Amino acid sequence: MATPLQQPPQAGGGKRKGKAQYVQAKRARRSDSGGPRQLEPGLQGILITCNMNERKCVEEAYSLLNEYADDLYGPEKFTGKDEQPSENEGEDDDVETALKKEVGDIKASTEMRLRRFQSVESGANNVVFIRTLGIEPEKLVHHILQDMYKTKKKKTRVILRMLPISGTCKAFLEDMKKYAETFLEPWFKAPNKGTFQIIYKSRNNSHMNREEVIKELAGIVGSLNSENKVDLTSPQYTVVVEIIKAVCCLGVVKDYILFRKYNLQEVVKNAKDPSQLHPKQAAQARNGQEAKLESGDKSDQSDPEEKNNQEAVLENSEELEQSKPMSETQVVTEGRAKPELASEVTEGSESNENDLS
């Protein structure tokens, strides 16, 4: 009976790995890409929703983004290591010079691994985030959708929506207000102006209040230029607010209605109405049919993610007399109107079938 009690120490001493070995392996994996491994404040990129197959979504995203980025920016250039370190080996007797050279080599090797597109963990199921480097996300995505809208060529199978994210910050109201004050300036600060709407979606987050976020952002837009007006039918700009866990993703896009809410599956379809043949009138003519297409059989065919996507736009003049641009606030559900309930906004709950992680 005493023999089995003596065996575990002997076996454990020979097979068990030390804690340092596990930590080392983990650190090695995290540093392979040379960039962030998960969605965090301070990034630019493209938020992509898909239908269950995230790995295939990432492959399609790389292929599509590189194809159109080559058109706009030319082929990707990689920074190679110069041979200067080997030529300056004679200076190694100086400790300071040798140290600087070593730091320079580390920086150079890191830059080589930083690609212009890099997938990072989004923090939500069926959502992929592609970090961009040296690329304007809104310009690239608009170029992709414009081409697909004209050619009607379907180029993806699992990608649903593709939203450019020009900046990220912490998903706390004070952080968002401070960040948005400078973030929104290129589009809305005088002399720039435009009509706008705000769409809002939250995933795996329960502490943000949709109404408060919209109210504050609308107030900021109005303070930048009093001529910025709300337009619920064909706005010049759509302010995208996507919250995932503790990170807020912000973007400003054009032609949101015309390009079918940036849905790559819908934008290539030939609409039944003849207004699509006339791009100038498309936004106006489609407003009446938008609700029909999405509340009927269209809403369930290609974008299950959009069924629960609540878009917040500005309405309700009594509620918003405190800030000028908030004179019109409206909450539009993708395909049908719903009462303004906080429980329907939080996407981390059981109401969202796809976004739980």
Side-chain angles (χ1 to χ4, degrees):
M1 296 294 293
T3 310
L5 297 175
Q6 295 175 356
Q7 287 176 357
Q10 293 175 357
K15 293 182 180 179
R16 234 179 239 176
K17 289 184 180 180
K19 185 177 178 183
Q21 288 178 283
Y22 289 108
V23 174
Q24 251 182 358
K26 187 176 179 182
R27 283 178 183 168
R29 284 196 300 271
R30 293 182 70 136
S31 62
D32 282 345
S33 66
R37 297 303 303 268
Q38 61 184 7
L39 183 60
E40 60 186 30
L43 297 182
Q44 278 193 337
I46 300 164
L47 189 139
I48 302 170
T49 61
C50 62
N51 193 1
M52 303 305 290
N53 196 335
E54 292 182 23
R55 181 175 294 183
K56 179 65 176 176
C57 176
V58 172
E59 292 175 4
E60 287 187 354
Y62 281 151
S63 175
L64 189 69
L65 294 173
N66 278 302
E67 175 187 346
Y68 284 92
D70 287 348
D71 291 340
L72 285 178
Y73 305 99
E76 186 173 10
K77 296 178 181 179
F78 300 95
T79 344
K81 284 186 180 180
D82 295 329
E83 296 187 357
Q84 289 180 352
S86 60
E87 294 174 1
N88 297 332
E89 283 179 0
E91 300 177 5
D92 284 347
D93 51 349
D94 186 355
V95 178
E96 187 178 354
T97 305
L99 183 60
K100 287 181 179 179
K101 185 173 66 175
E102 186 176 352
V103 172
D105 289 347
I106 293 171
K107 287 183 179 179
S109 62
T110 303
E111 287 175 1
M112 286 178 63
R113 289 195 295 268
L114 288 177
R115 306 289 300 269
R116 62 183 177 186
F117 301 116
Q118 177 66 50
S119 173
V120 300
E121 293 291 334
S122 69
N125 290 339
N126 299 322
V127 178
V128 170
F129 190 88
I130 305 292
R131 174 193 57 80
T132 60
L133 187 66
I135 297 288
E136 299 172 85
E138 66 279 357
K139 181 179 178 182
L140 177 59
V141 175
H142 189 274
H143 178 61
I144 293 172
L145 285 158
Q146 191 174 42
D147 182 67
M148 293 179 69
Y149 175 78
K150 289 179 180 177
T151 62
K152 300 299 178 187
K153 290 182 180 178
K154 185 176 180 179
K155 297 193 174 185
T156 62
R157 293 174 62 86
V158 300
I159 292 178
L160 298 179
R161 303 176 74 200
M162 187 175 274
L163 296 170
I165 302 300
S166 301
T168 59
C169 65
K170 293 181 180 179
F172 298 95
L173 192 58
E174 290 304 316
D175 296 273
M176 293 170 62
K177 285 165 58 178
K178 185 177 179 181
Y179 183 75
E181 286 173 359
T182 54
F183 173 81
L184 295 170
E185 286 183 356
W187 297 276
F188 300 110
K189 186 176 182 179
N192 298 329
K193 62 179 180 179
T195 58
F196 71 99
Q197 67 174 343
I198 297 174
I199 64 168
Y200 175 97
K201 188 172 181 66
S202 175
R203 297 176 174 88
N204 301 337
N205 180 294
S206 59
H207 69 269
M208 295 302 301
N209 183 282
R210 174 180 55 84
E211 286 79 10
E212 288 183 7
V213 172
I214 296 164
K215 192 173 186 178
E216 294 296 340
L217 291 180
I220 292 171
V221 173
S223 66
L224 293 174
N225 191 337
S226 59
E227 295 186 28
N228 293 322
K229 302 296 180 183
V230 177
D231 189 340
L232 309 182
T233 56
S234 55
Q236 291 176 267
Y237 301 107
T238 296
V239 180
V240 176
V241 184
E242 291 272 347
I243 294 177
I244 303 178
K245 289 188 175 179
V247 180
C248 172
C249 304
L250 291 174
V252 179
V253 302
K254 294 181 179 180
D255 300 318
Y256 186 73
I257 303 298
L258 180 64
F259 292 158
R260 304 292 294 155
K261 301 179 182 178
Y262 277 48
N263 187 317
L264 272 61
Q265 303 298 321
E266 292 293 324
V267 77
V268 296
K269 293 182 179 179
N270 288 310
K272 294 179 181 179
D273 60 300
S275 61
Q276 250 197 353
L277 301 175
H278 309 283
K280 293 181 180 179
Q281 301 175 357
Q284 257 184 350
R286 186 173 295 146
N287 292 332
Q289 300 193 7
E290 194 77 23
K292 292 181 182 179
L293 290 174
E294 294 185 2
S295 61
D297 46 358
K298 287 266 183 181
S299 61
D300 294 325
Q301 287 177 2
S302 60
D303 198 348
E305 182 265 340
E306 288 203 9
K307 290 195 294 182
N308 295 323
N309 183 24
Q310 295 190 330
E311 292 188 357
V313 286
L314 304 173
E315 157 190 78
N316 226 346
S317 56
E318 308 125 8
E319 176 186 298
L320 305 174
E321 287 191 6
Q322 299 174 354
S323 65
K324 293 182 181 178
M326 297 293 296
S327 59
E328 304 174 38
T329 303
Q330 185 177 8
V331 178
V332 177
T333 303
E334 302 280 358
R336 60 194 181 277
K338 282 190 177 181
E340 299 183 7
L341 298 178
S343 61
E344 295 177 350
V345 178
T346 306
E347 298 292 335
S349 63
E350 61 272 7
S351 62
N352 187 350
E353 67 271 21
N354 291 332
D355 292 333
L356 296 176
S357 61

